[in-house]
Amino acid sequence: MFLMRFTERAYTTYTEEAVRNSPNEAVRLTFSNSNFDPKVGARQYNEYLDEYEYCEEAGFDGLMLNEHHNTPTCLGATMNLEAAILARSTKKPKIVLMGNPLPTFENPLRVAEEIAEIDMISNGRVVSGFVRGTGVESLAANINPLHNRERFEEAHDLIIKTWTTPGPFRWEGKHYHFRVVNPFQMPLQKPHPPVWIPGLGSPQTLVWAAERGYPYIYLETDPQGTQDMIDIYTEAARESGYEPGPENFGYLCRIHVQDTDEKAYESAKGFLTGNVGVGRVPMPKDYMLPVGYGGSKADPRVAKYQGRIRKDPFLGLGLETASYDQILDSNRWIVGSPETVIRKLRETLSVIRPGILGVWTNDGDTTHADTMRCLELMGQEVLPAIREIGAELELTDPFQKMAQTV
Amino acid sequence: MVAFTEEIVDVGGTKVHTLKGGSGEPLLLLHGAGGNNGWLKSIDALAEKYTVYYPSHPGYGKSDRPDWLETIPDMACFYNWYLETLGLEGIRTIGFSMGGWIASEIAAMCNHSFSKMMLVGAVGIKPNEGEIADLFIISPAQVLDLMFHDPAQAPEYQAVYGREFTPEEMMTAEGNREMAVRLCWKPYMHDPRLSSLLQRVNMPTRMVWGRNDQIVPVECGELYKKAIRGSDLVVIDNCGHSPQVEKPDEFIKTALDFLA
């Protein structure tokens, strides 16, 4: 079982009223950055890095980072920068990039170089995730959403070739064109850092990841729907000639622990107020799913999977609007004392059977002090218990699997 | 009401769904980014005097969507081919909004395609002062709000926009939006080379704008006027982005005056 810690690193000093008065009442994309105070940002970046550094001591196997743009919900705009800092300031945990949003970059070679540098500086600890980027990222970077998947696949192919083929070579693709590909920054891990694909379970991406043997990390998707996504991945893996196991699957879940259930219930409320928008103001559909981002419904590759994935009961209602208690009762977020959290997690792990668990410990206005206590309790009580459960349920992670097969 | 037929024009293997009706010399109508709204009152009035050709652009409605066609200049090449296929040359044209951009790219590319050109609320030139509204980050309902100055004065508003849409119509509308995104994403709704190329245009040209156009500022009409020698600009008061729907009588009058 591979345990990695995650937080969105939310900026929190703004009001719900400000969001409601912004264009389209959206907390992302068009919410004015005049609501941002770099002095607060300076404090928060350092607190968030302190937390990640402490995760090494707490015993996490991985430090999971992500990025978003034009939004206070995630201070990470270039995760490779934070990764580079952690590459120097930690010694053991993997640095898990979940992931670089490939379609939004005009120069994927720069991404290849950055990740290679981080891999060398960290002595081979990078896990290089790649994502298409939430629909709104296409708007922030002004990349035609119709090109999103094509650019994702082409940038991926170019980066992998760059890491595995001696240069110089030439690249004349559809979206990317380079006369001379020949960076001297090459990853330490061979043939290249592990690639994991985080996402919300779009069938085309599941199939694409399965065909390449890349573990797929389900980002807090509905457990029932996740079963259907695992089925789609498994079918594609079998067609590619292998049987996937827990090492092919990861699951990200909000898990917050404090000394008592009552204390955890209060401090985990930060999940409600910082990450999915202050006061849970829903995001406009036209921001999150711009025209063309989801692929054409007429495309047989899209049509084939219509109706295959059970609907998330919180979708539509949205995690944004579902009540806190409903979310907790459904176990979508796991909040409580160590004992409560371990008991509830066993259930989730038994159903989804991931080899990789993303532990989203805190967000929003959960205080730094509460977060540090949460991480401490994770290290003392929760992580050892999850490892035991993982061993009992045979939830092998990709590194254990690799060690077994070598 | 003038009878019209639905025809399929095969342009090098791409089938273009075309409404055709009326009598007299040919008149090509080029619709905007939202798609072909069908045989409205203003089109019917034009068909009293002209043989109207009103195609759905490739990628729109029931027309085919060739993979290679990705830009408005591609579209202009395509329409030169379409006219050649129909044996039409030196004809009159009216382009609405994005269709106005297509018309002006055709005119800039080929001086004998058109004899007269009318551009209605046309995109294609970047305004210096204002901005062309970003239709790709707002909902179709918000777009509709911006389109009209006062929907109550548009006689066909309810028939075109106010009714319940069938699932097929919804699919078509989404496909049309997708095609608009393909054609107009970046640079958004304009072509930086267009003003320079328009200096070549030597046919009578008229721009028609609603004074209260919230999608394409009237300033764009002025820039077209500046770019095209001898052209004029007619601004219709109390009118939004679609004079042909919002003020059909005034639109028909200015169109027929100019085309005669």
Side-chain angles (χ1 to χ4, degrees), chain A residues 24 29-30 139 286-287, chain B residues 134-139 142 177:
Chain A
N24 289 316
L29 190 67
T30 45
L139 296 167
D286 302 278
Y287 283 16
Chain B
D134 188 349
L135 307 182
F136 295 153
I137 66 168
I138 57 178
S139 67
Q142 287 172 305
R177 277 192 100 193

Side-chain angles (χ1 to χ4, degrees), chain A residues 157-219:
Chain A
D157 294 349
L158 171 56
I159 290 171
I160 297 295
K161 184 170 180 184
T162 302
W163 283 343
T164 53
T165 309
F169 64 86
R170 181 161 154 184
W171 185 272
E172 297 290 349
K174 180 172 177 192
H175 296 285
Y176 300 107
H177 308 266
F178 293 96
R179 314 194 98 74
V180 183
V181 180
N182 194 26
F184 270 62
Q185 293 66 29
M186 292 293 268
L188 181 63
Q189 297 180 83
K190 294 298 171 198
H192 57 75
V195 174
W196 298 355
I197 306 298
L200 300 170
S202 108
Q204 271 178 280
T205 308
L206 289 169
V207 170
W208 181 90
E211 285 169 351
R212 286 157 184 79
Y214 293 156
Y216 192 96
I217 318 299
Y218 300 92
L219 300 177

Side-chain angles (χ1 to χ4, degrees), chain A residues 331-343:
Chain A
N331 275 2
R332 284 294 283 276
W333 299 354
I334 296 175
V335 168
S337 65
E339 191 195 343
T340 304
V341 164
I342 293 162
R343 175 171 49 80

Side-chain angles (χ1 to χ4, degrees), chain A residues 24 29-30 106 138-139 141-147 174 286-287 290-292 295-298, chain B residues 65 67 70 134 136-140 142 171 174 177-186 188:
Chain A
N24 289 316
L29 190 67
T30 45
E106 292 297 358
S138 289
L139 296 167
N142 200 19
I143 300 300
N144 191 327
L146 283 167
H147 299 159
K174 180 172 177 192
D286 302 278
Y287 283 16
V291 178
S296 172
K297 288 198 183 78
Chain B
R65 182 177 293 188
D67 284 341
E70 297 205 307
D134 188 349
F136 295 153
I137 66 168
I138 57 178
S139 67
Q142 287 172 305
M171 278 283 273
E174 194 173 312
R177 277 192 100 193
E178 222 173 82
M179 194 61 196
V181 164
R182 190 203 275 199
L183 293 166
C184 306
W185 186 267
K186 191 162 71 176
Y188 177 66

Side-chain angles (χ1 to χ4, degrees), chain A residues 285-302:
Chain A
K285 178 174 172 281
D286 302 278
Y287 283 16
M288 300 312 279
L289 284 172
V291 178
Y293 175 81
S296 172
K297 288 198 183 78
D299 185 335
R301 288 168 303 176
V302 177

